[in-house]
Amino acid sequence: MTFTDTQFGRAIARAVALLSFLSLLAGPGAIEAAAATNSFDGNWKIYIFGGQDNCTFGYRLPITISEGAVLYNGRKVHPTVIGVSSAGAVAINLGSGSNHVTGTGALASNRGSGRWSAPQFSCGGYWRAEKR
């Protein structure tokens, strides 16, 4: 069984699709106002790991941080969906309703880590980041 065959996997896939859609809705002024050049700019690989039971998985996600804004597949993500502060604090708020995933963490100059949860699935895990 693949990750996307699980209920949680499908929820994450929908959340990523929603992330892409929300980034299109974000007005450029809102993103530019929230973005500030910082030492975290560059290409990152995010490794997402699930806990036990229905969310046992590992997933890799490439992102770019440019002038403080998060980009996924070349598109800016609205800072309320995935935000990185100039101090490196990370806030994640994907999806809505029954497909809601939240997370927190922090980045250092070339590494980062944090936790995420999807309470409606009694599921959670952690993430790690490496700057490339």
Side-chain angles (χ1 to χ4, degrees):
M1 177 185 308
T2 67
F3 170 64
T4 55
D5 288 336
T6 66
Q7 182 181 15
F8 184 71
R10 288 187 301 273
I12 289 293
R14 285 190 299 267
V16 169
L18 178 63
L19 182 150
S20 297
F21 175 72
L22 290 175
S23 68
L24 294 174
L25 294 179
I31 293 172
E32 290 167 12
T37 303
N38 63 48
S39 62
F40 308 111
D41 285 1
N43 295 319
W44 290 80
K45 295 286 185 198
I46 310 299
Y47 300 91
I48 305 166
F49 302 96
Q52 297 179 358
D53 300 326
N54 67 335
C55 68
T56 302
F57 68 90
Y59 188 73
R60 184 178 63 160
L61 178 72
I63 67 164
T64 300
I65 299 176
S66 177
E67 297 179 7
V70 175
L71 288 85
Y72 175 71
N73 282 339
R75 295 189 173 148
K76 289 184 181 179
V77 176
H78 196 283
T80 60
V81 177
I82 299 178
V84 179
S85 77
S86 61
V90 175
I92 302 165
N93 189 13
L94 293 172
S96 63
S98 65
N99 296 323
H100 196 222
V101 178
T102 60
T104 59
L107 297 178
S109 61
N110 63 355
R111 294 199 177 280
S113 64
R115 308 235 14 113
W116 64 268
S117 68
Q120 66 281 11
F121 295 106
S122 299
C123 190
Y126 66 97
W127 60 268
R128 301 239 186 265
E130 295 177 357
K131 192 173 184 180
R132 297 294 177 162

Short mmCIF file of all heavy atoms in Angstrom, two decimals, residues 50-111:
data_model
loop_
_atom_site.label_atom_id
_atom_site.label_comp_id
_atom_site.label_asym_id
_atom_site.label_seq_id
_atom_site.Cartn_x
_atom_site.Cartn_y
_atom_site.Cartn_z
N GLY A 50 5.78 10.62 9.51
CA GLY A 50 4.56 10.37 10.28
C GLY A 50 4.85 9.47 11.45
O GLY A 50 5.90 8.82 11.52
N GLY A 51 3.90 9.43 12.35
CA GLY A 51 4.01 8.57 13.53
C GLY A 51 3.62 7.15 13.19
O GLY A 51 3.93 6.64 12.13
N GLN A 52 2.88 6.53 14.08
CA GLN A 52 2.50 5.13 13.91
C GLN A 52 1.09 5.00 13.31
O GLN A 52 0.41 5.98 13.08
CB GLN A 52 2.57 4.42 15.25
CG GLN A 52 3.97 4.41 15.81
CD GLN A 52 4.02 3.73 17.17
OE1 GLN A 52 3.01 3.31 17.70
NE2 GLN A 52 5.22 3.61 17.71
N ASP A 53 0.69 3.78 13.10
CA ASP A 53 -0.64 3.42 12.61
C ASP A 53 -0.90 3.97 11.21
O ASP A 53 -0.12 3.74 10.31
CB ASP A 53 -1.72 3.84 13.60
CG ASP A 53 -1.53 3.17 14.96
OD1 ASP A 53 -1.07 2.02 14.96
OD2 ASP A 53 -1.83 3.80 15.97
N ASN A 54 -1.98 4.75 11.05
CA ASN A 54 -2.39 5.17 9.71
C ASN A 54 -1.56 6.32 9.16
O ASN A 54 -1.85 6.81 8.08
CB ASN A 54 -3.88 5.54 9.69
CG ASN A 54 -4.18 6.78 10.52
OD1 ASN A 54 -3.44 7.10 11.44
ND2 ASN A 54 -5.26 7.46 10.20
N CYS A 55 -0.54 6.76 9.86
CA CYS A 55 0.28 7.84 9.30
C CYS A 55 1.77 7.50 9.34
O CYS A 55 2.60 8.38 9.47
CB CYS A 55 -0.02 9.18 9.97
SG CYS A 55 0.48 9.32 11.68
N THR A 56 2.11 6.24 9.19
CA THR A 56 3.50 5.84 9.11
C THR A 56 3.98 6.09 7.68
O THR A 56 3.51 5.45 6.74
CB THR A 56 3.67 4.35 9.45
OG1 THR A 56 3.16 4.13 10.76
CG2 THR A 56 5.12 3.93 9.39
N PHE A 57 4.85 7.05 7.51
CA PHE A 57 5.35 7.37 6.18
C PHE A 57 6.56 8.28 6.29
O PHE A 57 6.88 8.81 7.34
CB PHE A 57 4.27 8.06 5.33
CG PHE A 57 3.91 9.44 5.81
CD1 PHE A 57 4.58 10.55 5.34
CD2 PHE A 57 2.92 9.62 6.75
CE1 PHE A 57 4.27 11.82 5.79
CE2 PHE A 57 2.59 10.88 7.21
CZ PHE A 57 3.27 11.98 6.74
N GLY A 58 7.21 8.48 5.18
CA GLY A 58 8.27 9.47 5.02
C GLY A 58 8.09 10.15 3.68
O GLY A 58 7.70 9.49 2.71
N TYR A 59 8.31 11.43 3.64
CA TYR A 59 8.07 12.17 2.41
C TYR A 59 9.09 13.30 2.30
O TYR A 59 9.45 13.90 3.31
CB TYR A 59 6.65 12.74 2.42
CG TYR A 59 6.22 13.36 1.12
CD1 TYR A 59 5.92 12.58 0.02
CD2 TYR A 59 6.12 14.73 0.99
CE1 TYR A 59 5.53 13.14 -1.18
CE2 TYR A 59 5.73 15.31 -0.21
CZ TYR A 59 5.44 14.51 -1.28
OH TYR A 59 5.07 15.08 -2.47
N ARG A 60 9.55 13.58 1.09
CA ARG A 60 10.50 14.66 0.87
C ARG A 60 9.84 15.72 0.01
O ARG A 60 9.19 15.42 -0.99
CB ARG A 60 11.74 14.13 0.17
CG ARG A 60 12.81 15.19 -0.02
CD ARG A 60 14.00 14.61 -0.67
NE ARG A 60 13.60 14.15 -2.01
CZ ARG A 60 14.41 13.93 -3.00
NH1 ARG A 60 15.69 14.09 -2.84
NH2 ARG A 60 13.98 13.55 -4.18
N LEU A 61 10.01 16.98 0.40
CA LEU A 61 9.37 18.09 -0.29
C LEU A 61 10.42 19.18 -0.54
O LEU A 61 11.01 19.69 0.40
CB LEU A 61 8.24 18.64 0.58
CG LEU A 61 7.46 19.83 0.08
CD1 LEU A 61 6.55 19.41 -1.06
CD2 LEU A 61 6.63 20.40 1.22
N PRO A 62 10.67 19.53 -1.81
CA PRO A 62 11.61 20.62 -2.08
C PRO A 62 10.90 21.98 -2.01
O PRO A 62 9.80 22.14 -2.56
CB PRO A 62 12.09 20.33 -3.50
CG PRO A 62 10.91 19.64 -4.14
CD PRO A 62 10.23 18.87 -3.03
N ILE A 63 11.48 22.92 -1.32
CA ILE A 63 10.96 24.29 -1.30
C ILE A 63 12.12 25.24 -1.51
O ILE A 63 13.28 24.87 -1.39
CB ILE A 63 10.21 24.65 0.00
CG1 ILE A 63 11.19 24.68 1.18
CG2 ILE A 63 9.04 23.74 0.24
CD1 ILE A 63 10.64 25.40 2.40
N THR A 64 11.79 26.48 -1.82
CA THR A 64 12.77 27.54 -1.91
C THR A 64 12.30 28.68 -1.03
O THR A 64 11.10 28.96 -0.98
CB THR A 64 12.91 28.03 -3.37
OG1 THR A 64 13.33 26.93 -4.18
CG2 THR A 64 13.93 29.16 -3.49
N ILE A 65 13.23 29.30 -0.35
CA ILE A 65 12.91 30.53 0.38
C ILE A 65 13.64 31.64 -0.36
O ILE A 65 14.84 31.57 -0.58
CB ILE A 65 13.34 30.44 1.86
CG1 ILE A 65 12.61 29.30 2.55
CG2 ILE A 65 13.07 31.77 2.57
CD1 ILE A 65 13.03 29.06 3.99
N SER A 66 12.87 32.64 -0.77
CA SER A 66 13.43 33.76 -1.54
C SER A 66 12.92 35.07 -0.94
O SER A 66 11.72 35.30 -0.90
CB SER A 66 13.00 33.64 -3.01
OG SER A 66 13.46 34.75 -3.74
N GLU A 67 13.85 35.88 -0.49
CA GLU A 67 13.52 37.15 0.15
C GLU A 67 12.49 36.92 1.26
O GLU A 67 11.57 37.70 1.45
CB GLU A 67 13.02 38.16 -0.88
CG GLU A 67 14.08 38.52 -1.90
CD GLU A 67 13.59 39.51 -2.93
OE1 GLU A 67 12.47 40.03 -2.80
OE2 GLU A 67 14.36 39.78 -3.87
N GLY A 68 12.64 35.83 1.98
CA GLY A 68 11.77 35.52 3.10
C GLY A 68 10.49 34.81 2.75
O GLY A 68 9.80 34.32 3.63
N ALA A 69 10.12 34.73 1.47
CA ALA A 69 8.88 34.07 1.05
C ALA A 69 9.17 32.61 0.72
O ALA A 69 10.20 32.27 0.17
CB ALA A 69 8.30 34.77 -0.17
N VAL A 70 8.22 31.73 1.03
CA VAL A 70 8.33 30.30 0.73
C VAL A 70 7.76 30.07 -0.66
O VAL A 70 6.66 30.55 -0.98
CB VAL A 70 7.57 29.46 1.77
CG1 VAL A 70 7.58 27.99 1.39
CG2 VAL A 70 8.16 29.66 3.16
N LEU A 71 8.50 29.33 -1.50
CA LEU A 71 8.04 28.97 -2.84
C LEU A 71 7.99 27.46 -2.95
O LEU A 71 8.90 26.76 -2.49
CB LEU A 71 8.99 29.51 -3.91
CG LEU A 71 8.96 31.01 -4.15
CD1 LEU A 71 9.89 31.71 -3.17
CD2 LEU A 71 9.37 31.32 -5.55
N TYR A 72 6.91 26.96 -3.54
CA TYR A 72 6.75 25.54 -3.83
C TYR A 72 6.44 25.43 -5.31
O TYR A 72 5.52 26.08 -5.80
CB TYR A 72 5.62 24.95 -2.98
CG TYR A 72 5.32 23.51 -3.31
CD1 TYR A 72 6.21 22.50 -2.98
CD2 TYR A 72 4.16 23.16 -3.99
CE1 TYR A 72 5.95 21.19 -3.28
CE2 TYR A 72 3.90 21.84 -4.31
CZ TYR A 72 4.79 20.86 -3.95
OH TYR A 72 4.55 19.55 -4.27
N ASN A 73 7.22 24.63 -6.02
CA ASN A 73 7.08 24.50 -7.48
C ASN A 73 7.14 25.86 -8.17
O ASN A 73 6.39 26.13 -9.10
CB ASN A 73 5.78 23.78 -7.86
CG ASN A 73 5.89 22.28 -7.67
OD1 ASN A 73 6.98 21.73 -7.63
ND2 ASN A 73 4.77 21.62 -7.55
N GLY A 74 7.96 26.75 -7.67
CA GLY A 74 8.15 28.06 -8.28
C GLY A 74 7.09 29.09 -7.95
O GLY A 74 7.16 30.22 -8.41
N ARG A 75 6.09 28.73 -7.16
CA ARG A 75 5.01 29.66 -6.82
C ARG A 75 5.09 30.04 -5.35
O ARG A 75 5.31 29.19 -4.49
CB ARG A 75 3.65 29.03 -7.10
CG ARG A 75 3.46 28.79 -8.56
CD ARG A 75 2.04 28.38 -8.82
NE ARG A 75 1.83 28.32 -10.26
CZ ARG A 75 1.01 27.49 -10.82
NH1 ARG A 75 0.32 26.64 -10.11
NH2 ARG A 75 0.86 27.50 -12.13
N LYS A 76 4.86 31.31 -5.08
CA LYS A 76 4.88 31.79 -3.70
C LYS A 76 3.71 31.23 -2.93
O LYS A 76 2.58 31.22 -3.41
CB LYS A 76 4.85 33.32 -3.65
CG LYS A 76 6.15 33.95 -4.11
CD LYS A 76 6.10 35.45 -3.95
CE LYS A 76 7.41 36.05 -4.43
NZ LYS A 76 7.41 37.50 -4.32
N VAL A 77 4.00 30.78 -1.73
CA VAL A 77 2.98 30.27 -0.83
C VAL A 77 2.61 31.39 0.13
O VAL A 77 3.48 32.08 0.68
CB VAL A 77 3.53 29.06 -0.04
CG1 VAL A 77 2.52 28.56 0.98
CG2 VAL A 77 3.95 27.95 -0.99
N HIS A 78 1.32 31.61 0.33
CA HIS A 78 0.88 32.67 1.23
C HIS A 78 1.48 32.43 2.62
O HIS A 78 1.48 31.29 3.11
CB HIS A 78 -0.64 32.71 1.30
CG HIS A 78 -1.15 33.98 1.88
ND1 HIS A 78 -1.13 34.23 3.22
CD2 HIS A 78 -1.65 35.09 1.29
CE1 HIS A 78 -1.61 35.43 3.45
NE2 HIS A 78 -1.94 35.97 2.28
N PRO A 79 2.01 33.47 3.26
CA PRO A 79 2.67 33.29 4.55
C PRO A 79 1.76 32.77 5.67
O PRO A 79 2.26 32.32 6.69
CB PRO A 79 3.22 34.68 4.88
CG PRO A 79 2.62 35.61 3.92
CD PRO A 79 2.07 34.83 2.77
N THR A 80 0.44 32.80 5.51
CA THR A 80 -0.42 32.21 6.53
C THR A 80 -0.53 30.70 6.37
O THR A 80 -0.98 30.01 7.27
CB THR A 80 -1.84 32.82 6.52
OG1 THR A 80 -2.42 32.57 5.24
CG2 THR A 80 -1.81 34.31 6.81
N VAL A 81 -0.10 30.15 5.23
CA VAL A 81 -0.12 28.71 5.00
C VAL A 81 1.18 28.09 5.49
O VAL A 81 1.18 27.16 6.28
CB VAL A 81 -0.35 28.40 3.51
CG1 VAL A 81 -0.30 26.91 3.24
CG2 VAL A 81 -1.69 28.96 3.05
N ILE A 82 2.30 28.62 5.03
CA ILE A 82 3.62 28.25 5.54
C ILE A 82 4.40 29.54 5.67
O ILE A 82 4.65 30.22 4.66
CB ILE A 82 4.38 27.27 4.63
CG1 ILE A 82 3.63 25.96 4.46
CG2 ILE A 82 5.78 27.01 5.19
CD1 ILE A 82 4.29 24.98 3.53
N GLY A 83 4.77 29.88 6.88
CA GLY A 83 5.49 31.12 7.11
C GLY A 83 6.81 30.86 7.81
O GLY A 83 6.92 29.97 8.65
N VAL A 84 7.82 31.64 7.43
CA VAL A 84 9.12 31.60 8.08
C VAL A 84 9.45 33.02 8.48
O VAL A 84 9.54 33.91 7.64
CB VAL A 84 10.22 31.04 7.13
CG1 VAL A 84 11.57 31.04 7.83
CG2 VAL A 84 9.86 29.66 6.63
N SER A 85 9.63 33.24 9.77
CA SER A 85 9.95 34.59 10.24
C SER A 85 11.41 34.90 9.99
O SER A 85 12.21 34.00 9.71
CB SER A 85 9.64 34.72 11.73
OG SER A 85 10.65 34.09 12.50
N SER A 86 11.79 36.15 10.12
CA SER A 86 13.18 36.54 9.92
C SER A 86 14.09 35.92 10.98
O SER A 86 15.29 35.81 10.78
CB SER A 86 13.32 38.06 9.91
OG SER A 86 12.88 38.59 11.15
N ALA A 87 13.51 35.47 12.11
CA ALA A 87 14.28 34.80 13.15
C ALA A 87 14.34 33.28 12.94
O ALA A 87 15.01 32.57 13.67
CB ALA A 87 13.69 35.11 14.52
N GLY A 88 13.59 32.77 11.94
CA GLY A 88 13.61 31.34 11.63
C GLY A 88 12.46 30.54 12.18
O GLY A 88 12.40 29.33 11.97
N ALA A 89 11.50 31.17 12.87
CA ALA A 89 10.34 30.43 13.37
C ALA A 89 9.47 30.00 12.20
O ALA A 89 9.24 30.77 11.28
CB ALA A 89 9.54 31.31 14.32
N VAL A 90 9.01 28.77 12.23
CA VAL A 90 8.19 28.21 11.15
C VAL A 90 6.79 27.94 11.68
O VAL A 90 6.63 27.37 12.76
CB VAL A 90 8.81 26.89 10.62
CG1 VAL A 90 7.91 26.24 9.58
CG2 VAL A 90 10.20 27.15 10.05
N ALA A 91 5.78 28.36 10.91
CA ALA A 91 4.38 28.08 11.24
C ALA A 91 3.73 27.46 10.02
O ALA A 91 3.87 27.97 8.91
CB ALA A 91 3.65 29.37 11.63
N ILE A 92 3.03 26.34 10.22
CA ILE A 92 2.38 25.60 9.13
C ILE A 92 0.89 25.51 9.44
O ILE A 92 0.50 25.16 10.55
CB ILE A 92 2.98 24.18 9.01
CG1 ILE A 92 4.49 24.28 8.76
CG2 ILE A 92 2.28 23.38 7.92
CD1 ILE A 92 5.23 22.98 8.98
N ASN A 93 0.07 25.81 8.45
CA ASN A 93 -1.37 25.75 8.61
C ASN A 93 -1.97 25.33 7.27
O ASN A 93 -2.38 26.15 6.47
CB ASN A 93 -1.92 27.11 9.06
CG ASN A 93 -3.36 27.04 9.45
OD1 ASN A 93 -3.93 25.97 9.62
ND2 ASN A 93 -3.97 28.20 9.60
N LEU A 94 -2.01 24.01 7.02
CA LEU A 94 -2.46 23.47 5.73
C LEU A 94 -3.88 22.96 5.82
O LEU A 94 -4.26 22.30 6.79
CB LEU A 94 -1.58 22.29 5.32
CG LEU A 94 -0.14 22.57 4.98
CD1 LEU A 94 0.60 21.26 4.78
CD2 LEU A 94 -0.04 23.42 3.74
N GLY A 95 -4.65 23.20 4.79
CA GLY A 95 -5.97 22.64 4.66
C GLY A 95 -6.99 23.31 5.55
O GLY A 95 -6.76 24.36 6.14
N SER A 96 -8.15 22.68 5.64
CA SER A 96 -9.22 23.18 6.48
C SER A 96 -10.16 22.04 6.82
O SER A 96 -10.09 20.96 6.21
CB SER A 96 -9.99 24.29 5.76
OG SER A 96 -10.60 23.78 4.60
N GLY A 97 -11.04 22.27 7.76
CA GLY A 97 -12.02 21.25 8.12
C GLY A 97 -11.37 19.94 8.51
O GLY A 97 -10.48 19.91 9.34
N SER A 98 -11.83 18.85 7.89
CA SER A 98 -11.32 17.53 8.26
C SER A 98 -9.96 17.23 7.64
O SER A 98 -9.38 16.20 7.91
CB SER A 98 -12.32 16.45 7.84
OG SER A 98 -12.44 16.43 6.43
N ASN A 99 -9.43 18.12 6.84
CA ASN A 99 -8.10 17.94 6.23
C ASN A 99 -7.15 19.01 6.73
O ASN A 99 -6.48 19.68 5.96
CB ASN A 99 -8.19 18.00 4.71
CG ASN A 99 -9.01 16.88 4.14
OD1 ASN A 99 -8.97 15.77 4.63
ND2 ASN A 99 -9.78 17.15 3.12
N HIS A 100 -7.07 19.19 8.04
CA HIS A 100 -6.28 20.26 8.60
C HIS A 100 -5.00 19.73 9.24
O HIS A 100 -5.05 18.81 10.06
CB HIS A 100 -7.11 21.02 9.64
CG HIS A 100 -6.55 22.34 10.00
ND1 HIS A 100 -6.50 22.79 11.27
CD2 HIS A 100 -5.98 23.30 9.24
CE1 HIS A 100 -5.94 23.99 11.30
NE2 HIS A 100 -5.62 24.31 10.08
N VAL A 101 -3.87 20.30 8.85
CA VAL A 101 -2.58 19.93 9.40
C VAL A 101 -1.91 21.21 9.90
O VAL A 101 -1.84 22.20 9.17
CB VAL A 101 -1.68 19.26 8.32
CG1 VAL A 101 -0.31 18.93 8.89
CG2 VAL A 101 -2.34 18.02 7.75
N THR A 102 -1.43 21.19 11.13
CA THR A 102 -0.71 22.34 11.67
C THR A 102 0.67 21.89 12.12
O THR A 102 0.90 20.71 12.40
CB THR A 102 -1.45 22.97 12.87
OG1 THR A 102 -1.59 21.99 13.90
CG2 THR A 102 -2.81 23.50 12.46
N GLY A 103 1.57 22.83 12.19
CA GLY A 103 2.91 22.50 12.64
C GLY A 103 3.68 23.73 13.06
O GLY A 103 3.31 24.86 12.74
N THR A 104 4.76 23.48 13.77
CA THR A 104 5.66 24.54 14.22
C THR A 104 7.08 24.02 14.15
O THR A 104 7.32 22.83 14.00
CB THR A 104 5.37 24.98 15.67
OG1 THR A 104 5.51 23.83 16.53
CG2 THR A 104 3.97 25.55 15.81
N GLY A 105 8.01 24.92 14.28
CA GLY A 105 9.41 24.54 14.29
C GLY A 105 10.30 25.75 14.10
O GLY A 105 9.84 26.88 14.24
N ALA A 106 11.55 25.48 13.76
CA ALA A 106 12.50 26.56 13.58
C ALA A 106 13.59 26.15 12.60
O ALA A 106 13.93 24.98 12.49
CB ALA A 106 13.13 26.94 14.92
N LEU A 107 14.09 27.16 11.90
CA LEU A 107 15.24 26.97 11.01
C LEU A 107 16.45 27.64 11.62
O LEU A 107 16.34 28.69 12.26
CB LEU A 107 14.97 27.61 9.64
CG LEU A 107 13.83 27.06 8.81
CD1 LEU A 107 13.70 27.85 7.51
CD2 LEU A 107 14.03 25.58 8.52
N ALA A 108 17.61 27.04 11.40
CA ALA A 108 18.89 27.66 11.69
C ALA A 108 19.50 27.98 10.34
O ALA A 108 18.82 27.92 9.33
CB ALA A 108 19.76 26.72 12.52
N SER A 109 20.77 28.29 10.27
CA SER A 109 21.36 28.72 9.00
C SER A 109 21.25 27.68 7.90
O SER A 109 21.02 28.02 6.75
CB SER A 109 22.82 29.11 9.20
OG SER A 109 23.55 28.01 9.69
N ASN A 110 21.39 26.38 8.22
CA ASN A 110 21.32 25.37 7.16
C ASN A 110 20.54 24.12 7.56
O ASN A 110 20.57 23.13 6.85
CB ASN A 110 22.72 24.99 6.69
CG ASN A 110 23.54 24.36 7.79
OD1 ASN A 110 23.12 24.27 8.94
ND2 ASN A 110 24.73 23.93 7.44
N ARG A 111 19.86 24.16 8.70
CA ARG A 111 19.07 23.02 9.17
C ARG A 111 17.83 23.53 9.89
O ARG A 111 17.78 24.68 10.30
CB ARG A 111 19.87 22.16 10.15
CG ARG A 111 21.04 21.45 9.51
CD ARG A 111 21.49 20.30 10.39
NE ARG A 111 22.57 19.56 9.79
CZ ARG A 111 22.43 18.64 8.84
NH1 ARG A 111 21.25 18.38 8.36
NH2 ARG A 111 23.45 18.01 8.35
#
